[in-house]
């Protein structure tokens, strides 16, 4: 059964009509047109669908809408562009499928640890899958962004 749900996404309040158990990822992509977060495994294990919820990185493919009502959701489209610019400068996106999730994970890390070392970046992004082998460039990009914003 569909109901009207109020969400706060990227600083804006939006209303959507959806069942309360609809995954947040589906609403972001299909109802709000925010297609940065990707559908990967559908089980919250790969990280491609990550978003910030109240500043914490969470998977959106297995997060029901009822769990985020009234909370602040930030998608990759709502992040500070400095992080994406660092990814571009380090050529940290090969195929790019994991990039949105990586950017969200990096943003969550930088929020809590503005000047991380490489080990902290690796640990923070450990649950994000990237089959391209771009991890060293991703770590450099996060460190570059920390230097630019910290």
């Amino acid at each position: 059964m569909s109901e009207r749900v109020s969400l706060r996404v990227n600083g804006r309040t939006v209303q959507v009509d959806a069942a309360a158990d609809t995954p947040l990822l589906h609403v972001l992509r299909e109802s709000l047109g925010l297609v940065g977060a990707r559908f990967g495994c559908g089980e919250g294990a790969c990280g491609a669908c990550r978003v910030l919820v109240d500043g914490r990185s969470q998977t959106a493919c297995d997060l029901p809408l009822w769990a985020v009502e009234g909370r602040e959701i930030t998608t990759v489209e709502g992040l500070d562009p400095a992080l994406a610019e660092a990814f571009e400068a380090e050529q940290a996106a090969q195929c790019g499928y994991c990039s949105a999730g990586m950017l969200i994970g990096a943003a969550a890390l930088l929020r809590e640890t503005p000047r991380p070392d490489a080990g902290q970046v690796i640990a923070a992004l450990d649950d994000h899958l990237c089959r391209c082998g771009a991890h060293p460039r991703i770590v450099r990009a996060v460190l570059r962004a920390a230097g630019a914003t910290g």
Side-chain angles (χ1 to χ4, degrees):
M1 182 167 79
S2 184
E3 60 187 75
R4 178 146 293 207
V5 177
S6 180
L7 300 173
R8 185 108 176 115
V9 181
N10 295 336
R12 294 180 337 149
T13 300
V14 296
Q15 307 279 323
V16 296
D17 293 316
D21 61 349
T22 303
L24 175 60
L25 179 64
H26 179 80
V27 171
L28 292 173
R29 291 184 61 86
E30 303 303 323
S31 299
L32 301 178
L34 297 168
V35 296
R38 306 269 171 80
F39 183 86
C41 66
E43 299 174 350
C46 72
C49 65
R50 286 193 173 266
V51 297
L52 296 175
V53 178
D54 294 335
R56 298 188 65 200
S57 176
Q58 291 194 318
T59 55
C61 69
D62 59 353
L63 187 61
L65 210 49
W66 62 262
V68 294
E69 185 168 13
R71 298 173 71 188
E72 185 68 38
I73 300 160
T74 304
T75 67
V76 70
E77 292 91 343
L79 292 179
D80 181 333
L83 192 52
E85 290 166 5
F87 269 58
E88 185 176 334
E90 293 292 342
Q91 298 181 357
Q94 189 164 325
C95 83
Y97 204 84
C98 70
S99 296
M102 292 282 190
L103 287 164
I104 290 290
L109 169 66
L110 295 176
R111 173 180 276 216
E112 290 187 18
T113 309
R115 293 288 200 176
D117 61 30
Q120 290 170 310
V121 175
I122 291 168
L125 300 179
D126 188 48
D127 60 348
H128 294 259
L129 298 180
C130 172
R131 295 177 185 243
C132 298
H135 290 93
R137 290 178 278 160
I138 292 168
V139 171
R140 283 196 313 265
V142 176
L143 293 173
R144 176 188 282 249
T149 60

